[in-house]
Amino acid sequence: MTDRLPGFSTLAVHAGAQPDPTTGARATPIYQTTSFVFNDADHAASLFGLQAFGNIYTRIGNPTNAVLEERVAALEGGTAALVVASGHAAQVVVLQQLLKPGDEFIAARKLYGGSINQFTHAFKSFGWNVVWADTDDIGSFERAVTPHTKAIFTESIANPGGTVTDIEAIAAVARKAGVPLIVDNTLATPYLIRPIDHGADIVVHSLTKFLGGHGNSIGGVIVDAGTFDWSRDNKYPMLSEPRPEYHGIKIHETFGNFAFAIACRVLGLRDLGPALSPFNAFMILTGIETLPLRMQKHCDNAKAVAEYLAGHPAVASVNYAGLEGDKYHSVARKYCPKGAGAVFTFSLKGGFDAGVKLVSNLKLFSHLANVGDTRSLVIHPASTTHSQLDDAAKVKAGAGPDIVRLSIGIEDKEDLIADLEQALA
Amino acid sequence: MVRDARKGALLTMRGNIEHDRTSMNHDTYSDDYIRGILNSVKVIAMVGASPVDARPSYFAFKYLVQRGYDMIPVNPGHVGKTLLGRPFVASLGDIGRPFDMIDIFRSSAHIMPVVDEALTTAPLPKVIWMQLGARDDAAAAKAEAAGIKVVMNRCPKIEYGRLSSEISWMGVNSRTISAKRAPIPTQGMRLSLNRTSLGGAATTAADRAAKNKTESS
Ligand SMILES: Cc1ncc(COP(=O)(O)O)c(C=O)c1O
């Protein structure tokens, strides 16, 4: 008997889950408990010493969360994953394993505004120095590499601009520099793009968006591709050196190709503390079961709405890689042939004021600061998500004053177009 | 036909993860191969077993004891001591009873002498297993010529945990699925390894990882 490979939709439903051993419950139970009873003193010691697989305390791991971890790892083609309380927490935990004070990481300039803030201000206070590069100029990544560089960070489809990243080109720079490539795959989801297949070593997500998909739970995840050799040199001591808090264990030597995920759990999550609630894990797991269905509908609707807007006289431009003629159309056809995602921006000939008016006229689109909901959403980034950036940085991040961002839901596309029609009239 | 069509579709989706092979390929192993070994061996001699509880060999030794394997620690530096109640022996020749598998916790450079010694034991072991990070293709070929199955650069603890899905507690991708209700694991219990495999003991990225490793050294 040869091993058979189930497809993506089968994994979206089954990976990580099985009927509960105790009760036979078929849906994954919500293990809403802080702690887990040990069999005996030796079992407890084995668990604390990382010698046995099992549960101790929900800050470190939880059976409901573990199902979600394995599910996302399977969908992304990684060796292991760790869920945390938010997408932002995932980014902190990842970089904590890689950077010491005084180290640098290179990040694409076109990122979610919250990530730009986190990198510029919060991480600076930890002594982790971000160096910005431009996705449209791969040479800018290469030029940014120094002996202090410890990682490269990019989004697969960038929020809010609808930029699709040439992951393979950036992966080549990371490989040459001997540092891991971290890809935030939030806006694409593994249904559209699997960054590990294109050379990413670590994938992070805000589960809050399309993976959870229903706008009801905040969460984040870190996926280990199992591809990076952490012991090649002494650049990554969290993984390659004996850890005093675990009696001198070397994490990479002990856990092999899922060592990064383990380091994030036992050194990051354990000590920094951003644990995901098992209830949120359950909600997100339920969301993921329909990811392939939802994501296709999101993309198909987004393309129809983008095409409609591109033909509207009040619209100056539409930035959606799914449109023929878009700057990123050929990259999108290579990386995400099923669709270019459902978050994009457009600019109005009437500028800032027209944007504000549009947002207030819309009846079906909700005005709020999120993306990746079943419901269609609208926001004016310059006055909200990206408001902390100065004007030049706003433009560079794809969030200039005339820009409106849409996150297209799974309603009937005719109703979305009709709502835009009346709001633009 | 159906299978071919499906394979085509999956190849586009997941990259080149399936290797149809006729000869033994030591880069990736099918789950059936690993499962067959873990389900059939009973007595395991661990060469390079360490009494230091922070060493990977100690972790693996203890785990395999807990899963019901009859473990023998082999390490000339610790003769006279015991590991979890089992006396250390200096060499394979000192074991004095048949064993099914040798699990070698030594670096690649020290594999060949162990295999040479293994080939002098009677009866021969059925399996020679080299730990994560250890690989010696010449030693493997020698053992295989004598009819011994070989696994390289893997950990039996991780593989057992993966195929039973026990390792899923740690968020690890077991690369198996099951719609069956599993028994509740208890101390010393052997777990069922017969879950449905998702394409062998490799991930999409495993080949790239192996390549990264060789290129960097
Ligand atoms: C691309 C991207 N990454 C990360 C985040 C942060 O995720 P969270 O809000 O779950 O912390 C967001 C949130 O909007 C996002 O859009």
Side-chain angles (χ1 to χ4, degrees):
Chain A
M1 195 186 87
T2 19
D3 296 330
R4 178 191 168 76
L5 299 174
F8 189 89
S9 298
T10 303
L11 294 180
V13 172
H14 285 279
Q18 72 175 332
D20 183 64
T22 311
T23 62
R26 181 60 268 214
T28 297
I30 304 171
Y31 289 95
Q32 193 70 22
T33 179
T34 55
S35 328
F36 302 84
V37 173
F38 305 118
N39 300 341
D40 51 40
D42 182 57
H43 180 227
S46 297
L47 287 172
F48 274 104
L50 305 180
Q51 292 163 6
F53 310 121
N55 298 293
I56 301 174
Y57 187 64
T58 289
R59 170 152 47 70
I60 305 167
N62 174 281
T64 311
N65 296 17
V67 174
L68 177 56
E69 287 162 348
E70 186 171 2
R71 175 121 0 130
V72 180
L75 294 176
E76 287 286 6
T79 53
L82 174 71
V83 292
V84 292
S86 68
H88 263 19
Q91 293 169 187
V92 181
V93 169
V94 162
L95 290 182
Q96 188 222 1
Q97 310 319 310
L98 304 178
L99 272 73
K100 290 191 300 295
D103 284 342
E104 292 169 4
F105 68 108
I106 302 168
R109 193 175 273 117
K110 274 194 188 149
L111 289 185
Y112 162 58
S115 298
I116 297 177
N117 280 330
Q118 186 191 41
F119 293 0
T120 310
H121 304 294
F123 288 178
K124 196 173 168 196
S125 73
F126 299 165
W128 305 341
N129 301 311
V130 61
V131 180
W132 299 106
D134 183 353
T135 310
D136 297 334
D137 171 15
I138 298 300
S140 69
F141 284 88
E142 247 175 292
R143 290 190 296 277
V145 174
T146 76
H148 302 290
T149 307
K150 291 294 170 70
I152 300 182
F153 185 100
T154 184
E155 289 175 6
S156 51
I157 297 182
N159 179 2
T163 306
V164 181
T165 304
D166 185 353
I167 300 170
E168 288 172 13
I170 300 179
V173 176
R175 239 172 105 61
K176 201 170 148 213
V179 302
L181 173 64
I182 307 161
V183 175
D184 179 342
N185 199 31
T186 299
L187 293 203
T189 81
Y191 176 73
L192 296 179
I193 301 178
R194 301 208 326 161
I196 292 172
D197 294 347
H198 300 291
D201 300 296
I202 298 162
V203 173
V204 293
H205 280 274
S206 167
L207 293 169
T208 315
K209 319 297 182 201
F210 294 99
L211 282 170
H214 295 70
N216 58 30
S217 306
I218 301 277
V221 68
I222 299 158
V223 183
D224 184 350
T227 46
F228 198 82
D229 182 0
W230 304 105
S231 306
R232 185 185 318 187
D233 42 39
N234 57 3
K235 245 182 186 167
Y236 301 101
M238 294 284 266
L239 288 121
S240 64
E241 298 304 309
R243 296 307 310 174
E245 58 271 70
Y246 290 104
H247 308 294
I249 287 174
K250 295 180 191 167
I251 304 273
H252 185 208
E253 177 191 54
T254 307
F255 296 102
N257 69 359
F258 54 91
F260 186 76
I262 296 289
C264 287
R265 182 188 301 279
V266 305
L267 303 175
L269 182 59
R270 188 195 71 158
D271 293 351
L272 300 176
L276 182 72
S277 153
F279 181 77
N280 279 23
F282 172 82
M283 296 302 281
I284 294 163
L285 265 175
T286 305
I288 290 178
E289 291 179 10
T290 56
L291 174 70
L293 303 173
R294 283 187 292 106
M295 213 53 207
Q296 194 59 57
K297 176 92 170 171
H298 276 294
C299 289
D300 295 348
N301 278 358
K303 185 152 189 275
V305 171
E307 279 167 355
Y308 162 77
L309 287 171
H312 197 284
V315 172
S317 64
V318 178
N319 306 306
Y320 182 58
L323 291 179
E324 252 167 67
D326 185 86
K327 190 174 167 187
Y328 299 103
H329 189 60
S330 62
V331 189
R333 288 189 51 172
K334 171 177 174 182
Y335 284 93
C336 44
K338 291 204 277 289
V343 178
F344 66 91
T345 62
F346 64 102
S347 73
L348 289 163
K349 288 180 183 157
F352 187 92
D353 295 339
V356 172
K357 181 163 163 268
L358 170 77
V359 169
S360 73
N361 284 350
L362 283 166
K363 293 176 177 157
L364 197 52
F365 282 78
S366 306
H367 179 207
L368 54 76
N370 189 26
V371 296
D373 194 320
T374 48
R375 290 153 280 257
S376 289
L377 315 173
V378 63
I379 203 163
H380 181 229
S383 59
T384 53
T385 51
H386 288 64
S387 62
Q388 270 121 320
L389 307 183
D390 63 35
D391 284 351
K394 276 178 191 156
V395 173
K396 277 188 183 152
D402 54 332
I403 296 285
V404 174
R405 182 186 75 188
L406 299 180
S407 173
I408 302 298
I410 57 172
E411 302 97 332
D412 288 308
K413 60 178 186 281
E414 295 77 9
D415 295 329
L416 301 176
I417 290 171
D419 192 29
L420 285 162
E421 176 105 27
Q422 65 79 24
L424 286 167
Chain B
M1 267 334 265
V2 173
R3 167 135 180 94
D4 283 352
R6 170 160 199 92
K7 222 160 102 182
L10 285 158
L11 279 175
T12 24
M13 195 176 77
R14 340 178 105 207
N16 301 314
I17 66 172
E18 206 173 24
H19 310 279
D20 273 316
R21 51 175 179 266
T22 42
S23 65
M24 193 69 206
N25 168 351
H26 286 288
D27 293 329
T28 59
Y29 299 100
S30 77
D31 282 358
D32 282 340
Y33 181 70
I34 300 288
R35 190 185 283 126
I37 289 171
L38 294 175
N39 274 335
S40 62
V41 302
K42 294 185 175 64
V43 185
I44 303 177
M46 183 183 283
V47 174
S50 169
V52 180
D53 71 359
R55 299 302 303 156
S57 62
Y58 179 91
F59 283 36
F61 191 94
K62 184 169 177 183
Y63 181 81
L64 295 171
V65 165
Q66 285 170 343
R67 289 287 157 248
Y69 292 98
D70 180 355
M71 300 298 295
I72 304 165
V74 182
N75 191 330
H78 297 288
V79 175
K81 293 185 224 161
T82 61
L83 186 51
L84 302 176
R86 288 142 182 91
F88 275 99
V89 296
S91 69
L92 294 172
D94 291 347
I95 293 176
R97 61 184 175 110
F99 48 92
D100 303 311
M101 175 166 127
I102 307 174
D103 183 10
I104 310 178
F105 264 89
R106 303 295 313 272
S107 64
S108 302
H110 298 97
I111 298 292
M112 189 61 96
V114 181
V115 170
D116 284 337
E117 194 194 354
L119 291 174
T120 67
T121 60
L124 286 177
K126 298 184 191 73
V127 180
I128 294 182
W129 187 304
M130 304 172 205
Q131 262 315 138
L132 265 187
R135 177 164 179 161
D136 180 338
D137 286 276
K142 220 186 224 184
E144 284 172 336
I148 298 172
K149 286 186 182 168
V150 174
V151 177
M152 296 193 284
N153 189 25
R154 293 287 186 282
C155 171
K157 174 187 174 187
I158 290 172
E159 294 305 309
Y160 194 102
R162 191 175 70 74
L163 292 171
S164 66
S165 96
E166 198 190 5
I167 203 168
S168 302
W169 296 131
M170 307 296 285
V172 172
N173 184 2
S174 71
R175 303 191 295 288
T176 63
I177 53 176
S178 173
K180 295 267 184 286
R181 181 173 171 179
I184 304 162
T186 52
Q187 186 82 350
M189 173 181 161
R190 295 290 278 263
L191 305 179
S192 165
L193 305 182
N194 294 324
R195 295 163 56 83
T196 305
S197 285
L198 312 184
T203 59
T204 317
D207 288 346
R208 180 154 53 88
K211 206 161 135 251
N212 284 352
K213 203 145 185 152
T214 29
E215 278 181 15
S216 67
S217 55

